[in-house]
Amino acid sequence: MIRLSDSFANLQSIIDAVPHAIFVKDRTHRIVLLNTSACEFLGHSRATLLGYSDFELFPADQAEIFRAADDHVFQTGEESENEEQLTDGRGCTRHVITRKQMVRLEEVEYLVASVTDITASRVAEAKNHHLSFHDPLTGLPNRSLFEEKLNGCFRNVAEGKHLAVLVLDLDGFKHVNDAYGYVVGDNILRWFAAKVSDLLGPEDVMARIDGDKFAIAMPGIGPSGDATSLASRIVATVRQPFVVDGTTLEFGVGIGIALARDVAIQPDELLRRADRAHHRASAADRLSICYFDAGMDQMIKRRIRIEQELRAAIAGDLIVPCYQPVVSLNGDRIIGFEALARWENESLGQIPSDEFISIAEEAGLIDALSARLLCRACQDASTWPASLFLAFNISPISLRDPTLGLRILGILAKSGFSPHRLELEITESALVDNISVAHTTIDQLRQAGVRIALDDFGTGYATLSQLLSFRLDKIKIDRSFVARLDDSEEGKVIVRAILGLATGFGLTTTAEGIESGEQLAFLKDNGCTEGQGYLFGKAVPASEVDALLNLTPWAVTASAPRMLAAGPMAG
Ligand code: C2E
Ligand code: MG
Ligand code: MG
């Protein structure tokens, strides 16, 4: 039994008040004094611990290390401070900082060790570290960690193996998210992440890199077959319907793949290539796999070039509206024109309107472009007979802005063009993207007398009930349905159904893309009231509208349609 000296007896109550564990050992490494926190830490009573050495408390290899550290302090008189992991009296691992120092009391040397428990802060740090490199929703690595791991994967490439990167997303996810809410959306993402993770090999790394976009790195693969096989299995898995709240949902998936066969390519370039290929895959089909090829870089370069030139073209009014006639199928006459934007670029030639419109949308330039086009179109249309309307396309992006209605009415007021002669064409996706703003804008414009037409009907994601909640004036049947009239009975059934629906709701109908007398005859026979298409004429520059109008009476008959020569800007 070790006896405490009088000095120690006085110290006991003082060190018991300290919230860190304190041990005092003599030169034989036995504990001669310890505080209450130390007893709690080691899980034994003071009476048991007095006289113990580290060998009675810790595994032998750990006790050896502690003893060596104690000896160093005794021999040199230097203080020491170490961060270490200990197993406490309850068998739990603790992160501690141990400070040791020698003291001399009544000519006798002792070692005083104080132990600060930092387990809680180390656990919090580890959790933060995990959070900053993982996606909290799916638990997958995030983009930063993926990039780090991708760098690591290049070691295999240096050793002669191939590395594939896949970028994938769920087609239609955004619309489901909008329709069913974020909770369902989150469940779908978790479901997708888990399903795809199950298909991966032990070396593969999957990450959520953005929204519903995921990336997979496949290191050490053989020829590209491995990546194709994984991508095909992902497509097959996603094809299985996902049931939520009793509703069955089906998704598409677009997968872009890029391969590194040598270290000439950088990791970030590989990811960029897979992303490009993904872009193409998503545009192609609901279920598609696409490998990167050099042509995609050309496409991107063209896109960048167009974006650069677009600003100057808008400012210089180089993008102008041309006008495609809209014809009454009953009275065989022109009843209005749809303004279609045309841009003839000096070096790039005629740029297709859907190409530069989508770039303008992505670059945040669509509102500036639309404002200039609408001003110009209102000026042009003011010179036409007052019975003719002007149809103008509104981008889905613009329809998200609550000030759109006011801006359009402002342009009408300034140009003096009557709102009653303006027909705005909007698409289904524009309506469902932001339902409440779209409702307000449409109501505001309709109150002023502007008519609203639903463009490209049948190609979007909107449900019938969503569409019917809007007050629309007209439905424009997409030209893909008109084209199908030629070769399938099914096409006829669809068009008949759309016309019946529109008539039932008192809506006017325009068939887009009429190219043949047969199509025209079928549409007329089934109650379609208006038509547009190359059969009647392509879009012409403002200067040619008069000539077109002078060709009256308009000869819209199945047997002898009057074709118009296309002007230089037509198309
Ligand atoms: P849209 O509004 O559905 O316009 C009809 C498109 O079909 C036009 O293509 C037109 O030239 C084409 N088209 C008309 N008749 C026929 C036909 O008989 N056969 C075939 N194959 N095509 C026909 P365009 O001018 O290339 O425009 C494509 C799309 O770009 C438009 O589709 C519209 O969504 C958008 N767009 C064009 N101009 C503007 C604009 O000023 N603003 C906005 N926001 N979008 C525009
Ligand atoms: Mg249109
Ligand atoms: Mg259309």
Side-chain angles (χ1 to χ4, degrees):
M1 166 84 178
I2 308 242
R3 284 180 59 86
L4 292 182
S5 73
D6 287 347
S7 330
F8 284 1
N10 292 338
L11 283 174
Q12 186 66 61
S13 54
I14 295 172
I15 63 170
D16 277 347
V18 178
H20 306 295
I22 295 176
F23 307 87
V24 180
K25 298 176 190 169
D26 64 12
R27 289 290 318 222
T28 67
H29 300 276
R30 299 205 165 270
I31 298 173
V32 294
L33 177 71
L34 77 171
N35 67 354
T36 311
S37 297
C39 298
E40 281 166 7
F41 185 86
L42 294 172
H44 294 291
S45 70
R46 194 188 313 270
T48 308
L49 289 168
L50 284 171
Y52 266 18
S53 76
D54 289 336
F55 285 89
E56 275 100 20
L57 292 168
F58 300 107
D61 51 345
Q62 217 171 14
E64 287 289 0
I65 295 169
F66 295 157
R67 172 159 300 192
D70 291 356
D71 281 341
H72 182 77
V73 175
F74 274 128
Q75 281 155 20
T76 61
E78 287 171 8
E79 292 177 17
S80 74
E81 180 173 312
N82 289 309
E83 186 173 332
E84 48 207 3
Q85 279 189 29
L86 296 178
T87 306
D88 69 9
R90 278 180 231 93
C92 301
T93 303
R94 308 289 272 276
H95 296 262
V96 296
I97 293 178
T98 310
R99 293 183 189 84
K100 293 180 177 173
Q101 141 176 38
M102 193 179 71
V103 294
R104 195 169 273 117
L105 286 174
E106 297 162 5
E107 300 304 315
V108 184
E109 289 171 351
Y110 297 96
L111 182 121
V112 179
S114 70
V115 179
T116 307
D117 188 347
I118 55 164
T119 310
S121 63
R122 283 287 176 271
V123 168
E125 271 169 33
K127 204 168 159 192
N128 281 341
H129 185 265
H130 186 269
L131 279 179
S132 54
F133 287 103
H134 289 82
D135 163 41
L137 183 69
T138 58
L140 291 174
N142 62 13
R143 192 186 186 105
S144 311
L145 184 55
F146 183 76
E147 286 172 352
E148 202 178 303
K149 289 192 180 268
L150 193 57
N151 279 325
C153 291
F154 265 75
R155 274 194 294 276
N156 287 321
V157 180
E159 287 160 13
K161 295 189 175 149
H162 293 175
L163 165 66
V165 170
L166 288 71
V167 168
L168 53 156
D169 77 351
L170 275 176
D171 179 45
F173 173 75
K174 191 183 167 309
H175 297 283
V176 172
N177 214 13
D178 290 345
Y180 292 90
Y182 290 112
V183 175
V184 173
D186 286 354
N187 283 338
I188 291 166
L189 288 179
R190 275 193 217 101
W191 164 82
F192 181 67
K195 284 278 181 193
V196 177
S197 297
D198 283 349
L199 303 174
L200 302 182
E203 302 280 294
D204 303 342
V205 182
M206 179 174 179
R208 182 178 171 207
I209 54 172
D210 184 27
D212 64 332
K213 213 186 241 189
F214 295 82
I216 298 168
M218 299 178 76
I221 56 167
S224 62
D226 290 6
T228 310
S229 142
L230 173 63
S232 309
R233 280 179 289 133
I234 293 173
V235 166
T237 301
V238 173
R239 199 174 268 147
Q240 293 161 19
F242 178 85
V243 180
V244 54
D245 294 344
T247 307
T248 304
L249 302 173
E250 282 179 45
F251 294 97
V253 61
I255 306 179
I257 308 176
L259 292 175
R261 297 191 173 90
D262 54 50
V263 287
I265 178 174
Q266 295 295 310
D268 56 345
E269 170 64 13
L270 186 63
L271 183 57
R272 193 186 64 79
R273 287 184 178 185
D275 203 34
R276 293 251 192 294
H278 167 258
H279 224 269
R280 172 67 73 82
S282 307
D285 196 353
R286 278 174 62 80
L287 292 165
S288 76
I289 301 166
C290 185
Y291 272 84
F292 172 83
D293 72 59
M296 289 175 189
D297 263 350
Q298 288 308 112
M299 270 172 46
I300 296 294
K301 279 186 191 136
R302 176 177 161 90
R303 211 178 163 81
I304 293 169
R305 173 91 190 277
I306 291 176
E307 187 181 329
Q308 280 165 351
E309 303 232 354
L310 199 52
R311 285 167 214 277
I314 295 171
D317 280 332
L318 300 176
I319 303 176
V320 293
C322 281
Y323 302 98
Q324 185 178 32
V326 182
V327 172
S328 155
L329 299 190
N330 306 321
D332 301 349
R333 67 202 153 84
I334 293 179
I335 51 172
F337 287 91
E338 176 176 0
L340 293 165
R342 296 288 178 264
W343 180 15
E344 178 88 41
N345 181 272
E346 264 186 1
S347 47
L348 294 168
Q350 176 101 1
I351 304 171
S353 53
D354 22 17
E355 186 178 14
F356 68 78
I357 295 278
S358 79
I359 296 173
E361 287 172 343
E362 279 177 27
L365 297 169
I366 190 66
D367 285 342
L369 173 60
S370 294
R372 292 211 175 225
L373 285 170
L374 183 59
C375 278
R376 178 89 175 246
C378 287
Q379 280 166 15
D380 290 340
S382 299
T383 65
W384 306 340
S387 59
L388 299 185
F389 67 80
L390 165 69
F392 188 84
N393 291 285
I394 295 291
S395 151
I397 307 288
S398 306
L399 206 69
R400 291 183 197 154
D401 176 1
T403 68
L404 176 73
L406 282 180
R407 285 191 286 118
I408 290 176
L409 295 178
I411 291 173
L412 287 172
K414 209 168 157 196
S415 65
F417 189 69
S418 164
H420 296 274
R421 292 180 60 196
L422 181 65
E423 197 167 282
L424 293 177
E425 298 193 0
I426 54 186
T427 57
E428 291 173 44
S429 61
L431 295 181
V432 290
D433 270 357
N434 199 343
I435 287 194
S436 68
V437 175
H439 262 293
T440 315
T441 306
I442 287 173
D443 287 348
Q444 187 181 27
L445 287 164
R446 284 188 95 246
Q447 264 169 26
V450 176
R451 285 191 305 277
I452 306 293
L454 188 62
D455 204 357
D456 307 340
F457 180 72
T459 57
Y461 283 97
T463 63
L464 204 52
S465 66
Q466 276 171 332
L467 290 181
L468 295 174
S469 73
F470 287 92
R471 294 176 57 219
L472 302 168
D473 299 281
K474 180 185 275 189
I475 282 180
K476 297 190 76 173
I477 304 170
D478 190 66
R479 69 169 190 263
S480 57
F481 295 112
V482 174
R484 281 164 72 185
L485 290 176
D486 297 335
D487 49 33
S488 78
E489 199 50 42
E490 194 188 84
K492 292 191 172 99
V493 172
I494 295 173
V495 171
R496 236 183 245 124
I498 298 175
L499 289 169
L501 188 83
T503 314
F505 284 98
L507 300 168
T508 314
T509 42
T510 305
E512 301 187 270
I514 305 178
E515 292 185 0
S516 72
E518 289 73 25
Q519 292 168 346
L520 172 64
F522 177 88
L523 290 159
K524 272 176 96 168
D525 288 351
N526 285 279
C528 182
T529 48
E530 296 174 6
Q532 213 177 327
Y534 294 167
L535 181 67
F536 314 117
K538 293 185 172 183
V540 296
S543 57
E544 292 178 26
V545 165
D546 265 357
L548 206 55
L549 291 170
N550 288 335
L551 286 172
T552 51
W554 188 258
V556 179
T557 61
S559 52
R562 180 172 294 172
M563 296 293 288
L564 290 160
M569 303 286 280

